Amino acid sequence: MGAFGLLALGVLALATVAISQKTSLEDQGSNPCSGKQTCSECIQTATCAWCSQLVRLASSRRIFGLLYDYVFHDFLQNYTSPDGVPIPRCHQQNRYRNDKTSLMCDPQFLKNPVNEVNHIRNVELTKGVQVPSSSGSGAFQYINAVQIKPQRVSLKCRINEAQDLEVFYAQAEDYPVDLYYLMDLSKSMEDDKATLSKLGVKLAEEMRKLTSNFRLGFGSFVDKVVMPYVSTVPKNLESPCRGCEAPYGFKNALPLTTEATWFSKEVHDARVSGNLDAPEGGFDAIMQAVVCTDEIGWRPNARRLLVFSTDASFHYAGDGKLGGIIMPNDGMCHLDSSGNYTHSTILDYPSVSQVSQKVKEHQVNLIFAVTEEQRSIYNALASSIQGASAGTLSSDSANVVDLIKEEYRKITSAVELRDNATGPVQITYYSKCLDANGPERQTSKCEGLRIGSKVQFTINIKVTKCPKDPSQRKQTIKIEPVGVNESLIVDLEMQCECDCEKPGNPGFKPAISARECNYNGDLKCGICACKEQYRGRACECNATHADTDDMQAGCRPDNRTEILCSGRGDCVCGECQCFPRSNPEETIYGQFCECDNFSCDRNRGLLCSGPTQGECACGKCNCLGLWTGRDCSCLNSTDECRRPGDKELCSGRGKCECNKCLCHETESGNRYSGKYCQRCNTCPGLCAELRNCVQCQVFKNGAFKDDEEACNNCTFRAVEVDVLEPNNTSEDERLCILMDEDGCQFRFAYGTNGANNLQVRVQRTRTCPPIINIMGIVAGVVAAIVAMGLVFILLWKVLTTIHDRREFAKFEEERLKASWEAGENPLYKQATTTFKNPMYGGKM
């Protein structure tokens, strides 16, 4: 062949590679599989499959094929479609079919693992029964009930491909019950102890009505025997109060037994003790009562009830430092042969999380029987502990039997599934519960169960990613009903690797025998894994002295750009090595470093709305499960748009988008609102329409008061309440305040219940104006006017009398001061004149 022929061959080869690269690049925009370089990466991507077949190019392109294979080695990296165009090995599963429009790959070389489920133990649900013992001694043995099915399953699960498991639960009749009564025996509980000793036999009798297989035990606690919890004065250590026993931490007085009289005797004989501070050492007692399985006598297949009775709060982790106790609680059993807690002064109190963990681990239902003033504290505590509840204990514990029965009914009337799955394993629960004809909804809890009720759960298990540590790719997951010592064990194996990548399996060749890789790398699943210093598809390039000018064509998608490796990598031996990122969770990948897992849309600052909703692949969010949208923030479901019992979405007043209702606006400008568009605060309501029925049913008045037939034909029956308060169970409830013919104001509210039926609640008392006595008011006014007139007259008379008397007194006073007689006028002169002889001296 001449030089011209060789040149033509080179141009033809380069053009073919360009076509191949262009096809590959176009696929990557919509194909999440195209950027995957290894079989493991490929099968860890949902809907992707890998072809490991070694196929050379079509015969039409095999002119001087040996030279072509030597230069480009395309038969190692790609296989060919019917038209001879090389295709990436990782592609969508639905593209691998043996027809003219699909990719060609021999089934034996196609790596497309699927989920595999195998039921290892699948015993039918049965109730427990007592049968004669095989020893022939006349005794009976109990065959345990089976309440959950299946019991053990092996699951091989592919990444991001969920697997559903059907699980059944039925509450068995006569299921064994172990009840351990843990009592605070500080001085304040003395009257409670006396009451409990009398009620012991009654408690056993009432519980045996619920289950004949019942056992009862008793333990007590006070507090740590160190300051400042108890007085350490020697005499107080012997008897802290009159008739009191020496203080102690916890004492297992009576292990679980069927003899109720023993329980009553132990409670009666137990003596109270005393401590200094208000909180008690109840957490120490709970921990020992839970973990000391053999000492307490807990049976492996029984419902375990631990009743915790107190009138005080509790010490928890860290409080021990006040008494110089710094060693954390180890969560182990420390009871001696007499049932006494030996590490009370050595270990600190347990924490809430430790108690919660041990209660969950040992499947104990914890019931807090506490006084009213402590109820809020223990309600908060119960919400932090799986399977715990709280009830109000009377001041002398007289209601303890009813309290335990009620709490036991609550526990047994519901089933809640929990699991210990961690890391990348995501488990979701669905069930119809007891509504066989209703829609399946996402829930792990069903209520309202009775003996024999059978509930089906659909458990959706999905592995979101492969753990980096291979030892974590096999897990044992325990799915169990809360408080029941039965479970479904799932032996999970994550399908993270292809067998052809492991030595000793077909499709793997070590470097020493891998001619396809020029003996410079291992052949794995049809591609070469080169040694450190070698590069290239067939490990043909030595990175230490590579001629980069000749290799740059393999680092560009086509000749229309001079940018190598998309500007995000180095071109080494015709192969792109993408730049690393400072964040180890972020990667750049792809044949030309064109893809990454960090440049997708974000929601609430989370890439693709978070790992549970989507993952970023080549700049595009691949949504998981029911999530959709550019950023996987939209839930492709209508469950939250339909009210229970309602066939229409959003009450027919809106549209459902992303599992949320977008409510319409009416032509008159009214707008619906609420979760289901069930409210319209500006729309005319049903108050006027319902008033007549409400009045006749509750107040015996209104338009229907004399029409009994019309009153009986009302489509609802009003529910009377003392005080009309908001109803949390009905989101669309509206309040009506109306006036009746008596001028009284009455209130009622209407809405829908869980079955979407009209529900009307009426306040049974009306607010009426007071009755006005007109005649009384008139008479009162007249009487007041007359009285006021008489008062004015009397006042005038008094004032005038006082004035007259004052004037008269003044006159009398002036008269007494006069120097003449009242009958002689000093201005009057007699008519006769009298002369006096001055010489006459009055002598004769």
Side-chain angles (χ1 to χ4, degrees), residues 401-451:
V401 175
D402 294 332
L403 188 152
I404 293 174
K405 285 175 58 180
E406 179 63 24
E407 294 301 322
Y408 177 76
R409 286 194 181 97
K410 290 181 182 178
I411 292 171
T412 55
S413 64
V415 57
E416 182 177 8
L417 297 185
R418 294 286 181 91
D419 59 76
N420 62 348
T422 57
V425 182
Q426 178 180 314
I427 299 182
T428 310
Y429 301 89
Y430 300 89
S431 180
K432 296 181 180 180
C433 292
L434 297 179
D435 186 6
N437 299 321
E440 192 172 55
R441 56 189 177 90
Q442 182 176 336
T443 180
S444 62
K445 184 175 183 179
C446 291
E447 298 177 319
L449 276 65
R450 298 181 179 179
I451 299 296

Side-chain angles (χ1 to χ4, degrees), residues 527-540:
I527 61 173
C528 291
C530 302
K531 296 178 181 178
E532 184 176 358
Q533 69 272 28
Y534 291 95
R535 300 288 185 272
R537 296 174 180 174
C539 305
E540 72 279 8

Side-chain angles (χ1 to χ4, degrees), residues 759-770:
Q759 176 178 281
V760 180
R761 300 186 303 122
V762 185
Q763 182 171 307
R764 58 170 52 95
T765 57
R766 297 180 298 168
T767 304
C768 297

Side-chain angles (χ1 to χ4, degrees), residues 725-794:
E725 295 179 344
N727 186 6
N728 296 328
T729 62
S730 180
E731 297 184 6
D732 60 345
E733 188 173 73
R734 292 188 62 177
L735 177 66
C736 301
I737 303 177
L738 302 175
M739 301 289 291
D740 61 14
E741 58 270 22
D742 297 328
C744 297
Q745 185 186 84
F746 62 98
R747 296 168 174 255
F748 66 92
Y750 68 89
T752 54
N753 56 19
N756 205 26
N757 296 323
L758 180 65
Q759 176 178 281
V760 180
R761 300 186 303 122
V762 185
Q763 182 171 307
R764 58 170 52 95
T765 57
R766 297 180 298 168
T767 304
C768 297
I771 299 175
I772 300 175
N773 189 347
I774 303 298
M775 294 302 298
I777 294 175
V778 172
V781 171
V782 172
I785 294 173
V786 172
M788 290 178 64
L790 292 175
V791 169
F792 281 128
I793 293 172
L794 180 62

Side-chain angles (χ1 to χ4, degrees), residues 352-372:
V352 175
S353 61
Q354 280 181 302
V355 172
S356 177
Q357 177 186 354
K358 292 300 179 181
V359 166
K360 178 180 178 180
E361 179 182 332
H362 291 267
Q363 289 295 332
V364 175
N365 289 111
L366 190 53
I367 301 174
F368 296 110
V370 296
T371 54
E372 180 64 35

Side-chain angles (χ1 to χ4, degrees), residues 24 131 133 321 404 510 693 717 725:
S24 176
V131 297
S133 175
K321 294 179 180 179
I404 293 174
C693 288
R717 298 303 301 175
E725 295 179 344

Side-chain angles (χ1 to χ4, degrees), residues 225-398:
V225 190
V226 294
M227 284 289 290
Y229 314 113
V230 302
S231 175
T232 55
V233 176
K235 66 173 184 177
N236 291 337
L237 287 177
E238 295 180 2
S239 179
C241 50
R242 179 176 297 179
C244 291
E245 187 179 359
Y248 56 91
F250 165 68
K251 181 185 297 183
N252 177 25
L254 177 68
L256 292 164
T257 178
T258 57
E259 298 296 332
T261 54
W262 293 2
F263 176 85
S264 297
K265 182 178 183 304
E266 287 294 338
V267 176
H268 180 270
D269 294 344
R271 296 167 58 195
V272 297
S273 186
N275 61 332
L276 293 179
D277 60 346
E280 315 290 6
F283 271 23
D284 274 344
I286 291 175
M287 179 63 73
Q288 295 304 300
V290 170
V291 301
C292 296
T293 305
D294 296 334
E295 290 79 0
I296 301 298
W298 297 115
R299 289 176 289 182
N301 291 95
R303 189 178 288 275
R304 303 174 179 182
L305 304 181
L306 177 59
V307 180
F308 181 84
S309 175
T310 184
D311 63 351
S313 58
F314 49 85
H315 285 294
Y316 52 90
D319 287 359
K321 294 179 180 179
L322 297 174
I325 304 172
I326 60 174
M327 186 175 295
N329 196 283
D330 59 5
M332 305 294 289
C333 180
H334 299 288
L335 296 184
D336 60 17
S337 57
S338 300
N340 294 307
Y341 179 38
T342 59
H343 283 50
S344 177
T345 59
I346 300 174
L347 300 178
D348 193 7
Y349 299 100
S351 65
V352 175
S353 61
Q354 280 181 302
V355 172
S356 177
Q357 177 186 354
K358 292 300 179 181
V359 166
K360 178 180 178 180
E361 179 182 332
H362 291 267
Q363 289 295 332
V364 175
N365 289 111
L366 190 53
I367 301 174
F368 296 110
V370 296
T371 54
E372 180 64 35
E373 56 268 20
Q374 300 295 332
R375 181 66 184 273
S376 60
I377 298 176
Y378 283 92
N379 279 340
L381 179 60
S383 64
S384 302
I385 300 177
Q386 176 179 297
S389 60
T392 302
L393 195 67
S394 61
S395 58
D396 61 351
S397 297

Side-chain angles (χ1 to χ4, degrees), residues 77-149:
Q77 182 65 20
N78 304 299
Y79 62 93
T80 59
S81 62
D83 59 359
V85 178
I87 302 296
R89 291 189 176 277
C90 186
H91 219 292
Q92 299 276 15
Q93 299 167 350
N94 56 9
R95 296 293 301 276
Y96 289 106
R97 298 191 303 270
N98 290 322
D99 55 52
K100 293 182 179 180
T101 61
S102 302
L103 307 179
M104 305 295 293
C105 186
D106 195 317
Q108 64 177 319
F109 296 104
L110 187 62
K111 308 302 177 183
N112 183 27
V114 295
N115 295 343
E116 298 179 17
V117 181
N118 182 29
H119 289 74
I120 300 175
R121 189 167 185 268
N122 193 21
V123 179
E124 291 295 329
L125 302 174
T126 59
K127 66 177 183 179
V129 294
Q130 287 187 341
V131 297
S133 175
S134 57
S135 62
S137 60
F140 288 85
Q141 63 178 0
Y142 182 78
I143 299 179
N144 295 324
V146 178
Q147 298 186 115
I148 188 169
K149 171 193 175 184

